Amino acid sequence: MQEIDIFSKTCPTRFALSTISGKWGLLIILALDNHPLRFSELVRHIGGISERMASQTLKYLERYGVVRRHVVQHATPPQVEYALTPLGRQFVNRASSSSRSNRSSSS
């Protein structure tokens, strides 16, 4: 297995990291923290995000295993829901615990 150096300019994880840590990626992940959302609900929930940017960011997050896309077949017309994967949930949990520890250490 190839060793990963995130500080290297050519590291393959850089794109995934920039997507997750970018403005929209992080907001989408946090919006999905409590429960799955349909695409339109997600766009309404995140003020200022365009449908195009939401769609593009969701595709990246799905590709990297952070978000799961689920087509609800019994709905007419079919609806698409997005939810965090276990990896996405792990990311939120670690970010939350890091945030809590930073707040308690600054008090």
Side-chain angles (χ1 to χ4, degrees), residues 41-98:
E41 292 173 326
L42 192 59
V43 171
R44 277 194 305 269
H45 186 72
I46 302 172
I49 192 170
S50 68
E51 287 186 6
R52 180 175 182 253
M53 186 54 67
S55 177
Q56 185 178 356
T57 306
L58 282 163
K59 284 178 187 174
Y60 292 142
L61 293 173
E62 184 181 10
R63 183 180 310 147
Y64 292 108
V66 177
V67 169
R68 177 183 52 83
R69 180 181 189 268
H70 174 69
V71 179
V72 181
Q73 297 294 337
H74 58 79
T76 306
Q79 297 174 346
V80 177
E81 285 185 341
Y82 293 91
L84 291 178
T85 63
L87 178 64
R89 180 110 1 249
Q90 205 175 26
F91 177 80
V92 170
N93 292 341
R94 287 196 176 146
S96 296
S97 66
S98 174

Side-chain angles (χ1 to χ4, degrees), residues 97-107:
S97 66
S98 174
S99 173
R100 281 192 300 271
S101 67
N102 285 339
R103 279 185 286 202
S104 65
S105 68
S106 65
S107 298

